[in-house]
């Protein structure tokens, strides 16, 4: 689950008395048992007796013990037990074009028939919040869009929070998907003009992820909606590209989770020359 345990900041608030609060902050850089050094700062009215018990001056150092428990299993055979699939009226599901719910369900469950695919049909704040607050589901998929969806500010916040907690959200190929990624996450990813395949695996970006086990190249199968590599935000992993400025699979980190874009619209449930494997690898990030 690539780089999930990156440096983070912890803030603790301790109520010492009715008129005094002490704030502690610590930076964490490991997924192992860690001794944290926390700087303690006094805010509000002075309670010198409290500070004297901690040390001298306006701040002092404390040592904390921390043990990290991964959100989901950390092994190469991990695959989600459940997946949320958006099936709202803006998707191709309702236009009779592209892949069907059954096709995508089959692709996701191939070789993992214990996995449950659950659908939701609204991006309204209450409906999306119920999905994002489902603690047992760590992956969400948005298929290609026929019409651009309306996403309200609260829905953006909930979806971003869902990802930052360590979950994965996948957008399948389409210019509407690229626009929605920019809208929700504030990026400026640019859609690319058509470039023929094949598309080559970046060993540098794939290292340490399940993509290192994926095919070395992907063919031009199905409808491909690539993006301009140079428009990707800093730190983005471009897993597959043409080598001449077009990316077709990338992963953007948000907190402990990932936003993944796969440029193929997955319009067929039959073999698509490695694209299905890449889709399932993205679900397991």
């Amino acid at each position: 689950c690539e780089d999930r345990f990156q440096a983070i900041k912890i803030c603790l608030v301790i109520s010492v008395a009715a008129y005094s609060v002490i704030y502690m902050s610590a930076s964490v850089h490991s997924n192992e048992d860690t001794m944290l050094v926390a700087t303690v700062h006094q805010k509000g009215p002075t309670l010198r007796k409290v500070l004297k018990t901690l040390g001298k001056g306006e701040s002092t150092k404390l040592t904390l013990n921390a043990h990290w428990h991964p959100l989901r299993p950390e092994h190469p055979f991990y695959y989600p037990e459940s997946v949320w699939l958006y099936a709202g009226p803006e998707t191709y599901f309702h236009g009779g074009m592209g892949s069907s719910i059954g096709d995508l369900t089959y692709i996701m469950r191939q070789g993992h028939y214990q996995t449950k695919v659950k659908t939701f049909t609204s991006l309204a704040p209450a409906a999306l919040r119920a999905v994002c607050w489902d603690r047992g589901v760590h992956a969400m998929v948005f298929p290609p869009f026929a019409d651009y969806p309306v996403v309200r500010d609260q829905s953006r916040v909930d979806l971003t929070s869902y990802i930052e907690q360590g979950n994965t959200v996948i957008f399948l190929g389409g210019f509407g998907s690229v626009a929605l990624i920019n809208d929700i996450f504030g990026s400026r990813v640019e859609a690319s003009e058509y470039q023929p395949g094949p598309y080559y695996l970046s060993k540098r970006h794939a290292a340490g992820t399940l993509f290192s086990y994926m095919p070395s190249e992907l063919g031009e199968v199905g409808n491909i909606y690539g993006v301009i590599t140079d428009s990707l935000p800093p730190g983005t992993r471009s897993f597959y590209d043409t080598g001449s400025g077009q990316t077709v699979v990338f992963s953007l980190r948000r907190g402990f989770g990932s936003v993944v874009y796969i440029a193929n619209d997955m319009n067929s449930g039959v073999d698509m020359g490695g694209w299905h494997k890449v889709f399932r690898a993205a679900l397991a990030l």
Side-chain angles (χ1 to χ4, degrees), residues 24-62:
M24 297 192 298
S25 63
S27 293
V28 184
H29 298 272
S30 175
N31 61 338
E32 305 293 339
D33 291 353
T34 307
M35 299 296 288
L36 308 184
V37 178
T39 304
V40 181
H41 308 277
Q42 182 186 5
K43 302 291 183 180
T46 302
L47 281 183
R48 298 187 182 279
K49 290 183 179 180
V50 175
L51 280 180
K52 285 182 180 179
T53 65
L54 299 174
K56 297 180 180 180
E58 293 298 316
S59 66
T60 189
K61 300 286 186 180
L62 292 180

Side-chain angles (χ1 to χ4, degrees), residues 28-189:
V28 184
H29 298 272
S30 175
N31 61 338
E32 305 293 339
D33 291 353
T34 307
M35 299 296 288
L36 308 184
V37 178
T39 304
V40 181
H41 308 277
Q42 182 186 5
K43 302 291 183 180
T46 302
L47 281 183
R48 298 187 182 279
K49 290 183 179 180
V50 175
L51 280 180
K52 285 182 180 179
T53 65
L54 299 174
K56 297 180 180 180
E58 293 298 316
S59 66
T60 189
K61 300 286 186 180
L62 292 180
T63 300
L64 308 176
N65 286 316
H67 179 72
W68 296 106
H69 297 280
L71 179 66
R72 55 183 183 269
E74 292 262 11
H75 55 69
F77 302 106
Y78 168 78
Y79 198 76
E81 296 179 357
S82 299
V83 177
W84 277 112
L85 172 64
Y86 182 62
E90 308 92 346
T91 66
Y92 276 125
F93 295 150
H94 297 270
M97 302 171 62
S99 55
S100 67
I101 294 177
D103 287 337
L104 284 182
T105 298
Y106 172 77
I107 295 169
M108 288 186 280
R109 297 184 68 237
Q110 189 173 6
H112 305 277
Y113 297 109
Q114 78 285 356
T115 296
K116 299 178 181 179
V117 177
K118 305 191 288 187
T119 60
F120 64 107
T121 59
S122 174
L123 295 177
L128 185 59
R129 175 166 290 184
V131 171
C132 292
W133 286 14
D134 186 347
R135 301 298 184 186
V137 181
H138 304 305
M140 188 184 304
V141 175
F142 287 93
F145 293 97
D147 297 306
Y148 192 76
V150 175
V151 182
R152 301 188 182 279
D153 289 343
Q154 187 57 55
S155 294
R156 293 187 183 93
V157 171
D158 288 338
L159 191 58
T160 300
S161 177
Y162 174 79
I163 297 167
E164 290 178 343
Q165 292 174 33
N167 300 305
T168 301
V169 173
I170 300 172
F171 293 85
L172 297 182
F175 296 137
S177 297
V178 175
L180 188 59
I181 290 173
N182 290 335
D183 184 19
I184 295 175
F185 306 107
S187 55
R188 295 183 178 180
V189 179

